[in-house]
Every structure is written in C-alpha cells, then in structure tokens.
Amino acid sequence: MAKKKKNNEQLPEGMSRRQAKLAARAAERAALEKDPRPFGGFAAEASLVAMQEFVPSATAKLSLKGFDKDVYVSTVLPGASAALIRDEEFGGEAFVGLQVQSHTHNPGRDLAYALNWVKNNKPGSTLESTAADGTEPALSELLEESAELDINVYQDFAWWMPEGAQITPQVAQSMQMANDSVIESHQVGNDIEGIAFWANAGGGKAHIRWVRPNDDENAFLNALARVAARGELNLGEGTKFAGVFRTHGLIAPVFDLKPEVAHDSYEVELARVDKALAEELKNDANLTADERKQLENIKSRQVTLR
C-alpha cells in the first residue's frame, strides 16, 4: 500500500520540515528562559525593579516611543490587573502595573506586552493578564532607554480613582482594604547610585532597601565587604547592615533602622556609603582575611527574590 502523502505544510523559506521543527522548539525554549536582567540597558532599571519588588504604592510617567497617550507605570492597579486606560472624560491616561496577579518569570517582556496592549487599545479598556506570550515587541521598541523615572510615592491608593469619578460601595471597600495593607514608604537619598526606599514595616524596625544597578556583582559584593571590614557599612548610630536582596540581576543592600527616626535623616550617611562603595569598586586588590570573612558573612545573608 502506498504511503499517504503528508498534508502540505507552510515551511519557512529554505527550511526542511525537520529544521522547521527544531527552530520551533528552540523558540519555545527561548520563551521559557528567564532574562537575567529584564530591565537591563535602561536608565530606569533600578527604579523599575524597586517599584516591582519593594514599593507598595507609587506611579511614574513613562517616556515612550510612538504613543498617542500619557502612560504611567505603577506598583499595583485595582484588582492587581495588568493595565487600564481611563475613560476620555477622566483624561484618557493609561496605567500599567508591575505587581500583578498574572505574570511570567520575565517582567521585562510582561511590561512590553502590557505597553503594547495600551498602545493599541482605547479609553475605558482594562487588561487583566500581563503574561507575555511572545507576540509583544522588545521593550526597547517601546520604552526610551535613556529616560529615568520621576517616582511619585503615595501612602494610600486614592490615585486609583480620577477626580470626579463615582466610587461605588464595592470600589470603596476594595480601596479601603488596599489602603489598610500599605506600608509607609518614602524615597530617600539624593544623587546616589541606584535608588533607595525607606519603609516602616512595623515590629519595631524600619528599613532602607537600596537597589544598585551594578554590572559586576562580584566586584560590588567585594566593595561591600571592604566597607564592612572598616566598620563603615551602616547608616549611623542605631542602624546596621542587614544583608542583601538579589533580584532581577541586581543587588539591593538592606539596612535596619529605628522607626522613630525620620526617613529623611539618612541623606548624609547614604551619600557617605555611596562614596565609599564607589571608591572600593575601583579597588582590584585581593581581599584581606578580614574582608573575606565579611564577604562570606554577606553571602550567607543573601535572599534571592524570584
């Protein structure tokens, strides 16, 4: 009996059936791979990481390419949705969320997906899921690489509702629940490398988490160890270095503080530590025994997020 002919297939030009299958599998594997630095190459990298991981309520206007509406990146949107575009009567502004209910392990691609949706949808629309599916363009095709973020930090979610909008009992209840969960937070540090946020999480401690966009992780950890070995890795009396978070390819040193001390009291100390780290990043000498001990201590207190 003669073999049945296979259905005609639309194969990429110049590819055999086997080559096309291998290419498709490679594309699937690439989609599942985690981007080591999802916001790498953008001036706003540290700010985007901080808003995604450490800041409860904040927004920042984005500098975008080819958009006909104002777009803001935010920490959380109502219902932890991915994006929304306000009705024209309330300005028609768009918001994309970073802390979302449905997402992939590649927040840079998720953000590109949400931005592309905003670009192609009309006022009054809402995007529930931000999970990138491979149809989105590269983030660099949408977001200006050199633009930094001017972040507005809030102590509640009143910004969810535009002025003049009717607030139903259900919306009011949802907003109240969200407001009750907000931890007091403030951006701190003037002209430091990266971006730092003070937060009072209760329990008798406040914290500063400082996201640093360093290209060489080992060099930065060594710099922390050298400063720690001199007893200078703190933000003044009553503070202590608590460890580091590692998230989305960046390192965020964390300091424990007294909550009764005002958040804006640490500007001078942050500048001092920033300068000390900058100097040590130029130091390529071998670590001393004490510095190696400090390095091991720092590594033992690393916490990796996602």
mmCIF file of all heavy atoms in Angstrom, residues 192-193 210 212 219-220 222-228 230-234 268-283:
data_model
loop_
_atom_site.group_PDB
_atom_site.id
_atom_site.type_symbol
_atom_site.label_atom_id
_atom_site.label_comp_id
_atom_site.label_asym_id
_atom_site.label_seq_id
_atom_site.Cartn_x
_atom_site.Cartn_y
_atom_site.Cartn_z
ATOM 1 N N ILE A 192 22.478 59.508 44.722
ATOM 2 C CA ILE A 192 23.202 58.269 44.992
ATOM 3 C C ILE A 192 23.059 57.340 43.794
ATOM 4 O O ILE A 192 22.159 57.492 42.973
ATOM 5 C CB ILE A 192 22.678 57.560 46.261
ATOM 6 C CG1 ILE A 192 21.177 57.246 46.110
ATOM 7 C CG2 ILE A 192 22.956 58.384 47.509
ATOM 8 C CD1 ILE A 192 20.605 56.409 47.229
ATOM 9 N N GLU A 193 23.957 56.396 43.681
ATOM 10 C CA GLU A 193 23.868 55.407 42.612
ATOM 11 C C GLU A 193 22.678 54.495 42.891
ATOM 12 O O GLU A 193 22.531 53.956 43.990
ATOM 13 C CB GLU A 193 25.150 54.580 42.553
ATOM 14 C CG GLU A 193 25.218 53.600 41.405
ATOM 15 C CD GLU A 193 25.381 54.261 40.049
ATOM 16 O OE1 GLU A 193 25.762 55.450 40.003
ATOM 17 O OE2 GLU A 193 25.144 53.583 39.035
ATOM 18 N N TRP A 210 18.114 49.460 49.077
ATOM 19 C CA TRP A 210 18.847 50.300 48.138
ATOM 20 C C TRP A 210 19.192 49.477 46.904
ATOM 21 O O TRP A 210 20.091 48.650 46.929
ATOM 22 C CB TRP A 210 20.096 50.814 48.847
ATOM 23 C CG TRP A 210 20.964 51.776 48.108
ATOM 24 C CD1 TRP A 210 20.803 52.265 46.855
ATOM 25 C CD2 TRP A 210 22.153 52.375 48.630
ATOM 26 N NE1 TRP A 210 21.811 53.131 46.545
ATOM 27 C CE2 TRP A 210 22.657 53.227 47.610
ATOM 28 C CE3 TRP A 210 22.826 52.275 49.840
ATOM 29 C CZ2 TRP A 210 23.825 53.959 47.782
ATOM 30 C CZ3 TRP A 210 23.995 53.010 50.011
ATOM 31 C CH2 TRP A 210 24.485 53.846 48.992
ATOM 32 N N ARG A 212 20.845 48.735 43.542
ATOM 33 C CA ARG A 212 22.046 49.227 42.862
ATOM 34 C C ARG A 212 22.209 48.581 41.487
ATOM 35 O O ARG A 212 22.238 47.356 41.378
ATOM 36 C CB ARG A 212 23.280 48.894 43.705
ATOM 37 C CG ARG A 212 23.278 49.447 45.116
ATOM 38 C CD ARG A 212 23.887 50.801 45.171
ATOM 39 N NE ARG A 212 25.185 50.839 44.530
ATOM 40 C CZ ARG A 212 26.093 51.780 44.767
ATOM 41 N NH1 ARG A 212 25.837 52.743 45.620
ATOM 42 N NH2 ARG A 212 27.246 51.774 44.132
ATOM 43 N N ALA A 219 32.326 42.251 42.011
ATOM 44 C CA ALA A 219 33.041 43.464 42.405
ATOM 45 C C ALA A 219 32.248 44.252 43.441
ATOM 46 O O ALA A 219 32.814 44.809 44.394
ATOM 47 C CB ALA A 219 33.320 44.329 41.178
ATOM 48 N N PHE A 220 30.918 44.286 43.276
ATOM 49 C CA PHE A 220 30.106 45.033 44.232
ATOM 50 C C PHE A 220 30.072 44.346 45.595
ATOM 51 O O PHE A 220 30.162 45.004 46.636
ATOM 52 C CB PHE A 220 28.685 45.213 43.697
ATOM 53 C CG PHE A 220 27.822 46.040 44.614
ATOM 54 C CD1 PHE A 220 28.110 47.365 44.852
ATOM 55 C CD2 PHE A 220 26.739 45.473 45.269
ATOM 56 C CE1 PHE A 220 27.335 48.135 45.705
ATOM 57 C CE2 PHE A 220 25.961 46.224 46.128
ATOM 58 C CZ PHE A 220 26.254 47.558 46.337
ATOM 59 N N ASN A 222 32.420 42.509 46.803
ATOM 60 C CA ASN A 222 33.745 42.773 47.388
ATOM 61 C C ASN A 222 33.802 44.178 47.982
ATOM 62 O O ASN A 222 34.378 44.386 49.062
ATOM 63 C CB ASN A 222 34.833 42.613 46.327
ATOM 64 C CG ASN A 222 35.102 41.161 45.976
ATOM 65 O OD1 ASN A 222 34.645 40.253 46.665
ATOM 66 N ND2 ASN A 222 35.830 40.949 44.902
ATOM 67 N N ALA A 223 33.211 45.144 47.277
ATOM 68 C CA ALA A 223 33.196 46.517 47.788
ATOM 69 C C ALA A 223 32.426 46.592 49.107
ATOM 70 O O ALA A 223 32.858 47.258 50.055
ATOM 71 C CB ALA A 223 32.576 47.450 46.747
ATOM 72 N N LEU A 224 31.276 45.914 49.174
ATOM 73 C CA LEU A 224 30.532 45.864 50.437
ATOM 74 C C LEU A 224 31.387 45.266 51.551
ATOM 75 O O LEU A 224 31.388 45.770 52.684
ATOM 76 C CB LEU A 224 29.262 45.024 50.256
ATOM 77 C CG LEU A 224 28.093 45.635 49.491
ATOM 78 C CD1 LEU A 224 27.003 44.588 49.275
ATOM 79 C CD2 LEU A 224 27.502 46.838 50.227
ATOM 80 N N ALA A 225 32.099 44.192 51.229
ATOM 81 C CA ALA A 225 32.925 43.519 52.234
ATOM 82 C C ALA A 225 34.045 44.429 52.735
ATOM 83 O O ALA A 225 34.347 44.454 53.940
ATOM 84 C CB ALA A 225 33.510 42.243 51.650
ATOM 85 N N ARG A 226 34.656 45.184 51.839
ATOM 86 C CA ARG A 226 35.750 46.084 52.253
ATOM 87 C C ARG A 226 35.223 47.181 53.176
ATOM 88 O O ARG A 226 35.852 47.513 54.188
ATOM 89 C CB ARG A 226 36.407 46.698 51.014
ATOM 90 C CG ARG A 226 37.139 45.717 50.112
ATOM 91 C CD ARG A 226 37.780 46.454 48.949
ATOM 92 N NE ARG A 226 38.179 45.572 47.870
ATOM 93 C CZ ARG A 226 39.308 44.870 47.833
ATOM 94 N NH1 ARG A 226 40.149 44.948 48.856
ATOM 95 N NH2 ARG A 226 39.602 44.099 46.801
ATOM 96 N N VAL A 227 34.071 47.755 52.827
ATOM 97 C CA VAL A 227 33.494 48.811 53.667
ATOM 98 C C VAL A 227 33.055 48.229 55.014
ATOM 99 O O VAL A 227 33.243 48.848 56.068
ATOM 100 C CB VAL A 227 32.314 49.493 52.941
ATOM 101 C CG1 VAL A 227 31.664 50.543 53.838
ATOM 102 C CG2 VAL A 227 32.787 50.141 51.641
ATOM 103 N N ALA A 228 32.496 47.016 54.989
ATOM 104 C CA ALA A 228 32.083 46.370 56.239
ATOM 105 C C ALA A 228 33.269 46.087 57.140
ATOM 106 O O ALA A 228 33.182 46.227 58.373
ATOM 107 C CB ALA A 228 31.340 45.068 55.922
ATOM 108 N N ARG A 230 35.843 47.771 57.560
ATOM 109 C CA ARG A 230 36.264 49.007 58.235
ATOM 110 C C ARG A 230 35.228 49.471 59.263
ATOM 111 O O ARG A 230 35.395 50.515 59.890
ATOM 112 C CB ARG A 230 36.481 50.126 57.209
ATOM 113 C CG ARG A 230 37.520 49.817 56.158
ATOM 114 C CD ARG A 230 38.007 51.105 55.490
ATOM 115 N NE ARG A 230 36.947 51.840 54.823
ATOM 116 C CZ ARG A 230 36.656 51.726 53.531
ATOM 117 N NH1 ARG A 230 37.340 50.862 52.775
ATOM 118 N NH2 ARG A 230 35.699 52.452 52.993
ATOM 119 N N GLY A 231 34.136 48.736 59.379
ATOM 120 C CA GLY A 231 33.084 49.119 60.318
ATOM 121 C C GLY A 231 32.247 50.290 59.838
ATOM 122 O O GLY A 231 31.593 50.965 60.634
ATOM 123 N N GLU A 232 32.217 50.501 58.523
ATOM 124 C CA GLU A 232 31.535 51.671 57.966
ATOM 125 C C GLU A 232 30.288 51.332 57.158
ATOM 126 O O GLU A 232 29.685 52.203 56.541
ATOM 127 C CB GLU A 232 32.509 52.459 57.068
ATOM 128 C CG GLU A 232 33.720 52.980 57.822
ATOM 129 C CD GLU A 232 34.729 53.651 56.905
ATOM 130 O OE1 GLU A 232 34.459 53.738 55.680
ATOM 131 O OE2 GLU A 232 35.796 54.064 57.394
ATOM 132 N N LEU A 233 29.886 50.051 57.175
ATOM 133 C CA LEU A 233 28.709 49.659 56.403
ATOM 134 C C LEU A 233 27.465 49.773 57.272
ATOM 135 O O LEU A 233 26.865 48.796 57.719
ATOM 136 C CB LEU A 233 28.876 48.233 55.865
ATOM 137 C CG LEU A 233 27.854 47.807 54.799
ATOM 138 C CD1 LEU A 233 27.862 48.749 53.608
ATOM 139 C CD2 LEU A 233 28.117 46.382 54.342
ATOM 140 N N ASN A 234 27.092 51.010 57.547
ATOM 141 C CA ASN A 234 25.895 51.320 58.336
ATOM 142 C C ASN A 234 25.444 52.712 57.947
ATOM 143 O O ASN A 234 26.118 53.411 57.177
ATOM 144 C CB ASN A 234 26.187 51.223 59.833
ATOM 145 C CG ASN A 234 27.303 52.171 60.253
ATOM 146 O OD1 ASN A 234 27.122 53.387 60.255
ATOM 147 N ND2 ASN A 234 28.469 51.616 60.583
ATOM 148 N N VAL A 268 22.850 62.158 54.541
ATOM 149 C CA VAL A 268 24.312 62.300 54.651
ATOM 150 C C VAL A 268 24.979 60.939 54.716
ATOM 151 O O VAL A 268 26.009 60.687 54.060
ATOM 152 C CB VAL A 268 24.679 63.145 55.892
ATOM 153 C CG1 VAL A 268 26.196 63.127 56.116
ATOM 154 C CG2 VAL A 268 24.198 64.577 55.721
ATOM 155 N N GLU A 269 24.409 60.014 55.496
ATOM 156 C CA GLU A 269 25.013 58.690 55.642
ATOM 157 C C GLU A 269 24.918 57.876 54.350
ATOM 158 O O GLU A 269 25.833 57.137 53.997
ATOM 159 C CB GLU A 269 24.341 57.937 56.795
ATOM 160 C CG GLU A 269 24.644 58.508 58.162
ATOM 161 C CD GLU A 269 26.132 58.460 58.499
ATOM 162 O OE1 GLU A 269 26.793 57.462 58.144
ATOM 163 O OE2 GLU A 269 26.636 59.421 59.105
ATOM 164 N N LEU A 270 23.802 57.995 53.651
ATOM 165 C CA LEU A 270 23.687 57.302 52.363
ATOM 166 C C LEU A 270 24.740 57.813 51.385
ATOM 167 O O LEU A 270 25.372 57.021 50.665
ATOM 168 C CB LEU A 270 22.286 57.513 51.782
ATOM 169 C CG LEU A 270 21.177 56.608 52.316
ATOM 170 C CD1 LEU A 270 19.812 57.152 51.914
ATOM 171 C CD2 LEU A 270 21.336 55.177 51.804
ATOM 172 N N ALA A 271 24.958 59.130 51.367
ATOM 173 C CA ALA A 271 25.972 59.707 50.488
ATOM 174 C C ALA A 271 27.366 59.213 50.870
ATOM 175 O O ALA A 271 28.202 58.939 49.999
ATOM 176 C CB ALA A 271 25.907 61.230 50.542
ATOM 177 N N ARG A 272 27.613 59.093 52.177
ATOM 178 C CA ARG A 272 28.918 58.606 52.642
ATOM 179 C C ARG A 272 29.169 57.177 52.178
ATOM 180 O O ARG A 272 30.245 56.853 51.647
ATOM 181 C CB ARG A 272 29.000 58.681 54.179
ATOM 182 C CG ARG A 272 30.272 58.046 54.749
ATOM 183 C CD ARG A 272 30.240 57.997 56.259
ATOM 184 N NE ARG A 272 29.151 57.176 56.786
ATOM 185 C CZ ARG A 272 29.178 55.844 56.807
ATOM 186 N NH1 ARG A 272 30.207 55.163 56.327
ATOM 187 N NH2 ARG A 272 28.152 55.181 57.320
ATOM 188 N N VAL A 273 28.176 56.295 52.386
ATOM 189 C CA VAL A 273 28.344 54.893 51.985
ATOM 190 C C VAL A 273 28.436 54.783 50.460
ATOM 191 O O VAL A 273 29.227 53.998 49.935
ATOM 192 C CB VAL A 273 27.167 54.044 52.521
ATOM 193 C CG1 VAL A 273 27.272 52.610 52.015
ATOM 194 C CG2 VAL A 273 27.157 54.058 54.046
ATOM 195 N N ASP A 274 27.665 55.589 49.758
ATOM 196 C CA ASP A 274 27.713 55.578 48.295
ATOM 197 C C ASP A 274 29.110 55.933 47.805
ATOM 198 O O ASP A 274 29.657 55.280 46.903
ATOM 199 C CB ASP A 274 26.683 56.572 47.746
ATOM 200 C CG ASP A 274 26.570 56.525 46.238
ATOM 201 O OD1 ASP A 274 26.280 55.437 45.698
ATOM 202 O OD2 ASP A 274 26.773 57.559 45.585
ATOM 203 N N LYS A 275 29.710 56.941 48.395
ATOM 204 C CA LYS A 275 31.061 57.361 48.010
ATOM 205 C C LYS A 275 32.082 56.277 48.342
ATOM 206 O O LYS A 275 32.979 55.980 47.536
ATOM 207 C CB LYS A 275 31.433 58.661 48.733
ATOM 208 C CG LYS A 275 32.814 59.195 48.362
ATOM 209 C CD LYS A 275 33.096 60.501 49.088
ATOM 210 C CE LYS A 275 34.490 61.025 48.733
ATOM 211 N NZ LYS A 275 34.795 62.303 49.447
ATOM 212 N N ALA A 276 31.933 55.648 49.523
ATOM 213 C CA ALA A 276 32.864 54.592 49.923
ATOM 214 C C ALA A 276 32.785 53.401 48.975
ATOM 215 O O ALA A 276 33.812 52.831 48.580
ATOM 216 C CB ALA A 276 32.567 54.156 51.356
ATOM 217 N N LEU A 277 31.574 53.017 48.578
ATOM 218 C CA LEU A 277 31.412 51.899 47.654
ATOM 219 C C LEU A 277 31.988 52.228 46.279
ATOM 220 O O LEU A 277 32.611 51.382 45.632
ATOM 221 C CB LEU A 277 29.928 51.538 47.531
ATOM 222 C CG LEU A 277 29.289 50.906 48.764
ATOM 223 C CD1 LEU A 277 27.784 50.789 48.594
ATOM 224 C CD2 LEU A 277 29.893 49.529 49.046
ATOM 225 N N ALA A 278 31.776 53.466 45.835
ATOM 226 C CA ALA A 278 32.316 53.878 44.533
ATOM 227 C C ALA A 278 33.832 53.781 44.523
ATOM 228 O O ALA A 278 34.441 53.340 43.533
ATOM 229 C CB ALA A 278 31.865 55.304 44.212
ATOM 230 N N GLU A 279 34.454 54.170 45.616
ATOM 231 C CA GLU A 279 35.914 54.085 45.701
ATOM 232 C C GLU A 279 36.386 52.636 45.709
ATOM 233 O O GLU A 279 37.354 52.273 45.040
ATOM 234 C CB GLU A 279 36.407 54.800 46.960
ATOM 235 C CG GLU A 279 36.304 56.315 46.903
ATOM 236 C CD GLU A 279 37.148 56.917 45.788
ATOM 237 O OE1 GLU A 279 38.286 56.443 45.585
ATOM 238 O OE2 GLU A 279 36.658 57.840 45.116
ATOM 239 N N GLU A 280 35.680 51.788 46.454
ATOM 240 C CA GLU A 280 36.105 50.392 46.553
ATOM 241 C C GLU A 280 35.850 49.613 45.268
ATOM 242 O O GLU A 280 36.504 48.611 45.014
ATOM 243 C CB GLU A 280 35.402 49.712 47.734
ATOM 244 C CG GLU A 280 35.832 50.233 49.094
ATOM 245 C CD GLU A 280 37.326 50.064 49.365
ATOM 246 O OE1 GLU A 280 37.998 49.322 48.621
ATOM 247 O OE2 GLU A 280 37.813 50.691 50.308
ATOM 248 N N LEU A 281 34.905 50.066 44.462
ATOM 249 C CA LEU A 281 34.677 49.405 43.179
ATOM 250 C C LEU A 281 35.865 49.571 42.236
ATOM 251 O O LEU A 281 36.018 48.813 41.274
ATOM 252 C CB LEU A 281 33.404 49.957 42.526
ATOM 253 C CG LEU A 281 32.088 49.414 43.097
ATOM 254 C CD1 LEU A 281 30.907 50.231 42.603
ATOM 255 C CD2 LEU A 281 31.913 47.942 42.738
ATOM 256 N N LYS A 282 36.718 50.543 42.518
ATOM 257 C CA LYS A 282 37.936 50.746 41.730
ATOM 258 C C LYS A 282 39.099 49.901 42.253
ATOM 259 O O LYS A 282 40.147 49.817 41.605
ATOM 260 C CB LYS A 282 38.350 52.220 41.769
ATOM 261 C CG LYS A 282 37.282 53.190 41.306
ATOM 262 C CD LYS A 282 37.735 54.628 41.545
ATOM 263 C CE LYS A 282 36.628 55.631 41.264
ATOM 264 N NZ LYS A 282 37.034 57.018 41.614
ATOM 265 N N ASN A 283 38.915 49.302 43.408
ATOM 266 C CA ASN A 283 39.982 48.555 44.078
ATOM 267 C C ASN A 283 39.982 47.111 43.590
ATOM 268 O O ASN A 283 39.041 46.361 43.846
ATOM 269 C CB ASN A 283 39.754 48.611 45.592
ATOM 270 C CG ASN A 283 40.894 48.007 46.384
ATOM 271 O OD1 ASN A 283 41.793 47.387 45.822
ATOM 272 N ND2 ASN A 283 40.847 48.175 47.697
#
